[in-house]
Amino acid sequence: MSKLFSPYELKGKTIKNRLVMAPMCMYSAENGLANDWHLTHYLTRAVGGVGTIVVEATGVLPEGRITEQDLGLWDDSQIAPLKRIVEEVRKYDCLIGIQLNHAGRKSQTNGTIFAPSPLAFETMQLPAELTKADIRRVVESFRQAAIRADCAGFDFIQIHGAHGYLINQFLSPLANKRTDEYGGCLPNRTRFLHEIIEAIGSVWPKEKILSLRVSAEEYHPEGNHVDDLCEIINSVKDSGIDWVDVSSGGVVNAKINAYPGYQLPFAQTIKEKTNLPVTGGGLICTVGFAEKALNDLNLDFIYMGRELLRNPYIVLNQANELGFDPEWPFQYKRAKNTP
Ligand SMILES: Cc1cc2nc3c(=O)[nH]c(=O)nc-3n(C[C@H](O)[C@H](O)[C@H](O)COP(=O)(O)O)c2cc1C
């Protein structure tokens, strides 16, 4: 019996399989609005049979976008096109969530950019240090975006706490040099994330899922390592984190020895030490590899990113290898390779 193709129950939802489409910026939005590209892109992967889709990093504020072409949820006008995507994707029994993000010092938008400390990322623009009033504004923008995500009908929100964006900047001693209650020791550096979780939790329906993406390793001796992330997650999980998505890197430029599955041991450690459902991934390109990783490391979900860009129908095409016979959309049935 394939683990990849066995359903998973999370907060009363049945997720049909363990393959997650990783969030991937499409850099195709204008004014933060989703359009036909986004609909086609997400719908194709739902038709292709993935169990869960995480919609790309979506800015909670204009200056919180990674680029001017990112999706946004800072304005009510941005709800309707996302709602359409949710409604269409849902027709294929696919769970769909949205990743809420503030890019902080890694924002390439026009105008002032913000960070915990006035330290530029590499050769990028120097950010302004967030005042406490600025912090309150950002936290409030996550709350407002969560209300809009609920209006759009998303099954879950994923808080983007990874890849060196604003939340990760607060968490990391490499980017956070503050001397107030948001900097210094690990509980202080976690305060911003904690406030965001609480703000989202105050409006996000209790029965819906809240996920957190983390960078489990910063690949720098003075940066966070997986045990720090376990401590961080354990300190916030009671505020309502239901699912952890494990990635790595991005706070500083570092040389990473990347190979298929290189981040999976981090996911395994986080699962063992936090007892939360985890998604692991990175350079995974076949359902066979995903199945083995789920079994060998006792993970709950596997994400695929780039392979799903190359091969949106991977579930339909490769499920047979694991003895699973997925339902094909009736329009494509004549193309099905029967086992
Ligand atoms: C085009 C592209 C855009 C990405 N955008 C995001 C993003 O919006 N949010 C995020 O957390 N990760 C993003 N990532 C990272 C992916 O989610 C994933 O972690 C990474 O690609 C490794 O998985 P893979 O080897 O299966 O592609 C992006 C990756 C790619 C290739």
Side-chain angles (χ1 to χ4, degrees):
M1 162 91 178
S2 159
K3 185 168 176 183
L4 186 67
F5 290 109
S6 61
Y8 191 95
E9 298 284 333
L10 188 57
K11 281 191 127 175
K13 289 261 178 208
T14 304
I15 306 173
K16 70 178 173 188
N17 65 45
R18 316 298 187 89
L19 194 70
V20 177
M21 178 186 183
M24 283 177 286
C25 285
M26 289 290 103
Y27 312 110
S28 300
E30 249 181 81
N31 301 319
L33 293 160
N35 55 39
D36 286 353
W37 173 266
H38 301 93
L39 177 66
T40 309
H41 170 66
Y42 292 111
L43 193 52
T44 304
R45 276 74 198 175
V47 168
V50 301
T52 301
I53 288 174
V54 189
V55 168
E56 66 203 77
T58 298
V60 296
L61 286 167
E63 71 274 19
R65 290 172 295 176
I66 302 165
T67 72
E68 296 275 340
Q69 289 73 41
D70 288 15
L71 292 178
L73 256 184
W74 66 83
D75 190 90
D76 287 350
S77 65
Q78 292 154 340
I79 298 170
L82 289 172
K83 189 165 194 240
R84 182 160 172 243
I85 294 173
V86 170
E87 285 168 357
E88 291 302 318
V89 160
R90 216 158 289 96
K91 291 179 184 164
Y92 298 87
D93 188 21
C94 180
L95 198 81
I96 180 162
I98 187 162
Q99 187 184 57
L100 296 184
N101 188 39
H102 191 301
R105 69 176 183 165
K106 288 176 87 175
S107 174
Q108 298 163 57
T109 54
N110 305 320
T112 306
I113 61 168
F114 297 91
S117 303
L119 292 170
F121 179 79
E122 300 283 313
T123 55
M124 288 174 74
Q125 187 182 337
L126 185 67
E129 183 177 72
L130 288 157
T131 64
K132 293 211 185 134
D134 293 332
I135 290 176
R136 281 195 294 277
R137 191 171 87 92
V138 175
V139 171
E140 172 60 14
S141 69
F142 273 93
R143 192 182 74 85
Q144 296 277 346
I147 295 172
R148 296 188 183 104
D150 186 35
C151 288
F154 283 104
D155 297 306
F156 68 97
I157 284 176
Q158 180 174 89
I159 298 172
H160 198 348
H163 301 166
Y165 296 114
L166 186 62
I167 292 172
N168 200 175
Q169 289 158 32
F170 268 95
L171 294 176
S172 175
L174 302 173
N176 182 349
K177 303 291 181 191
R178 295 178 77 97
T179 53
D180 63 5
E181 68 268 34
Y182 291 94
C185 61
L186 191 129
N188 277 3
R189 287 185 270 120
T190 309
R191 192 178 305 279
F192 180 64
L193 169 62
H194 202 212
E195 288 180 2
I196 287 171
I197 295 170
E198 300 232 300
I200 292 176
S202 70
V203 295
W204 188 241
K206 295 282 171 267
E207 66 277 11
K208 286 194 175 184
I209 298 160
L210 187 56
S211 155
L212 173 67
R213 192 168 222 204
V214 296
S215 277
E217 171 59 54
E218 293 176 1
Y219 304 104
H220 186 290
E222 280 131 50
N224 285 327
H225 307 292
V226 68
D227 285 340
D228 299 305
L229 266 298
C230 292
E231 202 177 322
I232 288 166
I233 294 163
N234 278 328
S235 75
V236 296
K237 72 176 182 191
D238 289 342
S239 303
I241 296 299
D242 306 302
W243 190 359
V244 184
D245 179 342
V246 182
S247 188
S248 68
V251 176
V252 290
N253 251 346
K255 203 170 151 23
I256 301 174
N257 177 22
Y259 52 87
Y262 70 106
Q263 298 171 128
L264 296 177
F266 302 138
Q268 184 185 28
T269 303
I270 288 180
K271 180 168 171 68
E272 279 168 9
K273 296 203 172 165
T274 69
N275 220 8
L276 285 169
V278 295
T279 309
L283 285 169
I284 295 177
C285 299
T286 65
V287 297
F289 193 103
E291 173 78 18
K292 189 164 164 34
L294 284 171
N295 286 309
D296 291 357
L297 303 178
N298 192 28
L299 306 178
D300 302 291
F301 297 89
I302 292 290
Y303 65 78
M304 281 187 190
R306 287 162 290 182
E307 186 54 33
L308 279 169
L309 300 185
R310 288 185 285 267
N311 185 2
Y313 302 117
I314 190 167
V315 170
L316 301 180
N317 284 325
Q318 295 186 0
N320 286 349
E321 291 172 20
L322 302 181
F324 185 71
D325 184 21
E327 183 67 15
W328 280 52
F330 78 88
Q331 296 92 335
Y332 291 177
K333 272 198 172 144
R334 286 173 66 185
K336 184 176 178 182
N337 288 321
T338 40

